[in-house]
Amino acid sequence: MARPRRGARFERKREAILDAAADLINSRGARGATLQHVAAAVGLNTTSVTYYFRRKEMLAVEVFERSLQRILAMVEDAAREASPRERVHRFVKFHVDLRAEVIAGTARPLVDLSDIRTLDEDLQRPLNAQYLAIFRKLRDFWGPFASAEQRELCTARVHMLLEVVFWLPAWLEQFAINDFGRVCRRICTILDEGLAPKQAGRHARLFSDDALRSAMPGLDIAEESFLRVATRLINESGYRGASVVRIVGELNVTKGSFYHHLDAKDDLVLECFRQSYKRVAIAQWLAHEAGGSEWERLSGAIATLIDIQFRADWPLTRTTALQSLPLNLRVEVVSRSNRIALRFMGTLVDGLRDGSINPVDPVIASQLIISTLNSAYDLAGWAARMPRERAIAYYASTLADGLFDDSVLDWAGSFIQPAGS
C-alpha cells in the first residue's frame, strides 16, 4: 500500500483536532475548551496543536464556520422544495436525521452556535454575518413578502424554527432511534397546525410584574441587582464570560459587596437559574389559577414569559448556559428544567381532554414551548421595533397557529388581555 502524502495526513489530523474542539465546545463552552484539552483529546501535546492552529480563538472560529457551512447546505437543499411547508419539513428532517447519525457514530454533531457570543467582537463579526445570511435564506422559504408586517412575522418564525432544531440534542434521545421518523412527523405537525384549534380564542391574559412579585419569595434590592446583571451577562457571554469583575463593574460596587451576598460565582449562577425557573413556575401557576380552558391557561403563561424576555431588563437565564456549568451544578438545573417541562406537559394533556388544544404529542410540544420561550430574549431588539402587544402576538403565533397561518396579522392588536380585566 502506498504511503499517504503528507498533505493528506496533515488534513486528517487537522480534522481530528476540529472534531475534538467541537466536542469540547459543546461540553465546556468556547472559553472552557483550551488547547491543552484539545491536545489531550487527540493524543498530541499543546505545541503540536499550535502547528495547526496558532491560537485557541482561531481554532474556535473554524469550528463554528464548519457548522455554519453544514447548516447553510441544509438550508440551500431544503430551499429547492416547492412550498414553504415542504421546505420547513425537509429542514427539520435534516436535523433529526443528523441526530440519529450522531448517536450511531456515523456523523459529527453541530457545535452549539450560541457560544459565538463569547468570542471577541472582531471574531464574532464574520461569524454573525454568516449566521445572518443563513437566517435570511431561511426567511426566504416564505417569500416574497406581501407586506413589511408579514416579513416581521416570518422573522419570528425563522427564529423559532432554528431554536427548535438547535434544541433537539437536549431531548431527542428520550426516544428510540427507530422512533425518530415518527418524532419528526410530530414536530412538523405542530409547526404546521400549532397548538390551538382554529375555533379557540386568540386572547391571552398578561400577568404584570406586580402579580409575579407578589407570588415570589422576597429578594433584597442588592441581591436582585446582582441577579439581573448576572443573568444578562450569562445570556450574552456564557457562564465563563459573566465574571465577578464584570458583574461588580456594571453595578459599580466592590467585590466585598458581592461576597457579602453570595459565597462564590457558582452560587450566583445557580441562583440565576433558580430564580428563572421560579418565575416560569409562578407564571404557570397564575395562569392556571386564572381559570378558563387549558389553552387560555397555556397562552397566558406563554404571553407573560415572552413579555419578560422581550423587556430584557431581567430575562430568564438561557438554558444554553448549561453546557458551561460545572458538572456539580448541572444536576439541579436540569432537574428544575424537567419539572417546568412536566408542568407544561400536564397543561397540554388536560387541554387534549377538554378539546382546547390540538391533538399533539405533549412531550414534544413541551420541548418546543421551552425552546421558543427560552430564545425569545434574542429577539428583544426585533420586538422593540413594534408595539409590544404585536411583538408578543407574532412570536406567540408560532406556537398557537404554527408557521404557515398569517391570520395573526389580523388579530395581533387584540391579543393581550391584562389579567383581571
Side-chain angles (χ1 to χ4, degrees):
M1 180 183 294
R3 257 180 99 179
R5 295 174 321 200
R6 182 179 182 277
R9 254 196 330 270
F10 177 91
E11 286 303 319
R12 282 199 300 272
K13 184 59 72 174
R14 192 172 183 277
E15 288 297 309
I17 291 170
L18 287 165
D19 288 342
D23 289 339
L24 285 164
I25 290 173
N26 282 342
S27 62
R28 294 173 174 266
R31 288 177 180 263
T34 67
L35 288 180
Q36 290 90 339
H37 291 132
V38 174
V42 294
L44 295 174
N45 58 45
T46 306
T47 303
S48 297
V49 172
T50 59
Y51 177 66
Y52 298 88
F53 299 95
R54 290 199 308 274
R55 293 165 36 232
K56 182 185 80 169
E57 292 77 14
M58 296 171 60
L59 173 57
V61 165
E62 186 145 354
V63 168
F64 288 123
E65 284 182 337
R66 274 205 321 178
S67 284
L68 286 165
Q69 289 164 5
R70 292 170 69 188
I71 296 167
L72 176 61
M74 295 178 190
V75 173
E76 290 176 340
D77 192 312
R80 299 188 184 101
E81 297 294 332
S83 69
R85 194 179 304 264
E86 292 170 299
R87 293 164 196 153
V88 168
H89 287 195
R90 187 165 180 81
F91 184 65
V92 172
K93 187 175 186 303
F94 277 140
H95 284 273
V96 173
D97 289 348
L98 174 60
R99 287 310 304 166
E101 292 166 4
V102 169
I103 294 167
T106 58
R108 301 296 305 170
L110 297 170
V111 74
D112 186 344
L113 297 179
S114 67
D115 240 35
I116 289 175
R117 72 190 71 204
T118 69
L119 300 176
D120 293 339
E121 283 190 21
D122 60 326
L123 299 176
Q124 285 187 44
R125 203 169 296 115
L127 295 172
N128 287 335
Q130 291 177 56
Y131 182 84
L132 183 59
I134 290 170
F135 191 97
R136 287 171 172 165
K137 284 178 180 289
L138 270 171
R139 192 169 59 188
D140 286 344
F141 280 9
W142 286 266
F145 304 109
S147 65
E149 290 76 17
Q150 188 185 45
R151 184 186 182 90
E152 296 285 19
L153 172 60
C154 288
T155 293
R157 288 171 172 173
V158 172
H159 188 73
M160 184 267 198
L161 174 61
L162 283 168
E163 291 302 322
V164 165
V165 297
F166 291 160
W167 187 241
L168 285 173
W171 63 270
L172 188 55
E173 289 174 48
Q174 296 178 51
F175 296 86
I177 290 181
N178 290 342
D179 289 330
F180 278 18
R182 183 181 301 173
V183 170
C184 184
R185 290 192 295 274
R186 290 177 178 176
I187 293 172
C188 290
T189 295
I190 297 170
L191 298 179
D192 285 353
E193 302 171 8
L195 301 177
K198 297 305 178 188
Q199 69 272 17
R202 291 300 186 270
H203 301 284
R205 290 182 288 255
L206 186 69
F207 297 93
S208 67
D209 272 353
D210 287 343
L212 292 167
R213 284 178 180 279
S214 66
M216 286 181 70
L219 291 171
D220 65 48
I221 294 174
E223 187 176 5
E224 181 175 317
S225 296
F226 282 125
L227 292 172
R228 283 176 180 271
V229 172
T231 298
R232 180 173 54 78
L233 289 175
I234 291 167
N235 286 354
E236 292 172 358
S237 304
Y239 167 79
R240 288 178 172 82
S243 65
V244 173
V245 171
R246 288 188 67 186
I247 293 167
V248 299
E250 292 215 11
L251 290 170
N252 197 26
V253 298
T254 65
K255 283 189 178 181
S257 177
F258 175 93
Y259 290 115
H260 174 73
H261 294 278
L262 296 147
D263 291 333
K265 175 187 160 182
D266 285 354
D267 297 319
L268 175 62
V269 174
L270 190 54
E271 191 60 28
C272 286
F273 275 106
R274 285 172 177 163
Q275 291 298 327
S276 286
Y277 290 140
K278 282 180 185 176
R279 293 157 74 203
V280 174
I282 288 167
Q284 291 173 317
W285 179 78
L286 289 172
H288 177 79
E289 290 298 299
S293 70
E294 294 302 321
W295 168 247
E296 290 171 326
R297 289 167 165 161
L298 180 61
S299 64
I302 287 172
T304 299
L305 294 168
I306 291 174
D307 182 50
I308 287 172
Q309 297 290 70
F310 282 174
R311 283 188 283 115
D313 56 336
W314 189 9
L316 305 174
T317 311
R318 283 185 62 92
T319 49
T320 49
L322 271 174
Q323 66 171 2
S324 302
L325 277 178
L327 289 173
N328 62 315
L329 299 184
R330 290 188 204 178
V331 174
E332 178 182 335
V333 173
V334 170
S335 175
R336 286 175 179 264
S337 177
N338 288 339
R339 285 202 295 273
I340 294 297
L342 286 171
R343 193 172 288 116
F344 278 128
M345 285 170 55
T347 301
L348 290 162
V349 169
D350 289 341
L352 297 178
R353 296 182 65 184
D354 74 9
S356 67
I357 290 176
N358 281 331
V360 296
D361 186 314
V363 175
I364 295 171
S366 67
Q367 294 296 342
L368 267 60
I369 291 170
I370 286 173
S371 65
T372 302
L373 294 177
N374 188 260
S375 64
Y377 171 74
D378 292 332
L379 279 188
W382 165 86
R385 300 200 300 259
M386 64 189 83
R388 182 178 62 162
E389 184 168 311
R390 178 146 56 99
I392 295 172
Y394 282 3
Y395 197 62
S397 74
T398 63
L399 291 169
D401 293 322
L403 304 185
F404 309 101
D405 183 343
D406 288 352
S407 63
V408 64
L409 298 173
D410 299 321
W411 54 257
S414 59
F415 178 57
I416 298 302
Q417 175 185 345
S421 64

